[in-house]
Amino acid sequence: MSREKSINAQVKRAEELLPKIEEEYNNSLHSKNIDEDLKLDIQTFCGHLRSALDYLARDIVETQCPNANPKDRLYFPITPDSKTFQKMMNKSYPDLEVNCKPVYDQLKDVQPFETDDNKWLSQFNKINNENKHNDLVEQTRTETKTVEVKSKTGGGSVSWGPGVTFGSGVSVMGVPIDPRTQMPIPNKTTTTTVTTWVDFKFDGINISALALLKQSLQEISKLKDQILKEI
């Protein structure tokens, strides 16, 4: 029996939870403290998406892999390299490449080892597993400052972020930089804007926590639609 309704329901629950997570996320940034409700909602969000993937895996095997062992514990494949992927396919998804190559290719194409664009899947898997089996994954509040110097006469702009340090004698758009403040000296020809970007990052994953959740939802929703059309 197809689990399409269950798969869609899991993704829908994640979609419905995301606005609440975003509100808690922004409130936590403002208060400079991570709300426990935010951690719990992230745990639930990831659980819904992981369940959708594993339901999808079960549907693939039941419809396309008649020689699979029904007693095997089955998970959606998330593997670090092609050798591990192939081993998992042979064991848990026997004959899938022959019986339904489009789905086999979709499972392979989404793997993190295929392209850097797929890193989100291993990152999602990391936070889901650690949230499930251990303490909730910690999120670190980060601040990143960007400086933009813009001409008052419409002559363009120059900007820089962390890691840029100016020595003495350096000018930007004709204005000397004060080495002590790392800012242009007061002048009448340019305006200087300092923007502080504030975000949370999951421990060990150097990207925006909220951005990863949004990308995971988008990619998993797209993937389940593609695979359900083929099985």
Side-chain angles (χ1 to χ4, degrees):
M1 188 175 88
S2 173
R3 293 173 177 79
E4 182 173 355
K5 288 184 178 179
S6 297
I7 294 166
N8 288 332
Q10 292 287 351
V11 173
K12 184 179 179 182
R13 284 296 179 92
E15 289 174 345
E16 292 170 347
L17 190 55
L18 186 59
K20 184 171 183 283
I21 288 174
E22 190 159 9
E23 181 180 0
E24 293 167 343
Y25 193 93
N26 291 328
N27 290 341
S28 292
L29 285 174
H30 182 72
S31 65
K32 300 186 179 182
N33 181 59
I34 301 173
D35 192 300
E36 290 301 316
D37 284 342
L38 171 60
K39 293 182 181 181
L40 291 171
D41 284 338
I42 288 174
Q43 183 184 47
T44 302
F45 177 91
C46 292
H48 284 310
L49 292 182
R50 180 70 216 206
S51 292
L53 290 176
D54 291 337
Y55 287 160
L56 190 60
R58 179 59 65 185
D59 254 12
I60 292 170
V61 168
E62 289 184 356
T63 59
Q64 306 299 328
C65 306
N67 294 324
N69 186 343
K71 295 182 179 180
D72 280 352
R73 297 184 69 180
L74 183 64
Y75 300 102
F76 185 90
I78 302 175
T79 58
D81 52 60
S82 58
K83 184 177 180 180
T84 307
F85 174 78
Q86 191 59 59
K87 183 178 179 180
M88 186 174 186
M89 289 295 102
N90 292 340
K91 180 179 183 297
S92 299
Y93 299 78
D95 303 321
L96 177 61
E97 187 172 14
V98 174
N99 295 339
C100 191
K101 194 170 188 306
V103 169
Y104 178 92
D105 289 343
Q106 286 166 340
L107 293 180
K108 186 171 186 292
D109 289 346
V110 78
Q111 295 302 307
F113 63 81
E114 282 291 291
T115 170
D116 285 346
D117 289 342
N118 293 345
K119 283 184 177 179
W120 68 269
L121 183 58
S122 58
Q123 293 165 342
F124 163 78
N125 196 44
K126 172 182 169 67
I127 62 171
N128 178 67
N129 287 342
E130 293 185 9
N131 276 339
K132 184 187 301 180
H133 301 300
N134 302 305
D135 291 335
L136 290 169
V137 172
E138 287 300 321
Q139 297 151 72
T140 304
R141 185 177 186 273
T142 62
E143 293 189 3
T144 304
K145 291 186 177 180
T146 301
V147 180
E148 181 184 44
V149 179
K150 184 179 295 185
S151 170
K152 291 182 178 180
T153 59
S157 64
V158 176
S159 61
W160 61 90
V164 177
T165 303
F166 298 106
S168 59
V170 175
S171 294
V172 172
M173 301 195 74
V175 178
I177 299 293
D178 186 335
R180 296 168 301 173
T181 64
Q182 292 295 298
M183 300 289 286
I185 63 172
N187 66 92
K188 297 181 179 180
T189 60
T190 65
T191 58
T192 301
T193 304
V194 179
T195 304
T196 301
W197 300 96
V198 182
D199 207 347
F200 287 127
K201 296 182 179 180
F202 290 114
D203 184 36
I205 303 177
N206 193 34
I207 64 168
S208 165
L210 185 60
L212 175 58
L213 298 179
K214 288 182 175 181
Q215 183 179 13
S216 298
L217 174 59
Q218 179 182 4
E219 296 293 341
I220 290 171
S221 181
K222 180 173 67 175
L223 179 66
K224 61 97 176 168
D225 287 343
Q226 292 171 340
I227 290 179
L228 286 172
K229 287 179 182 178
E230 300 290 343
I231 61 177

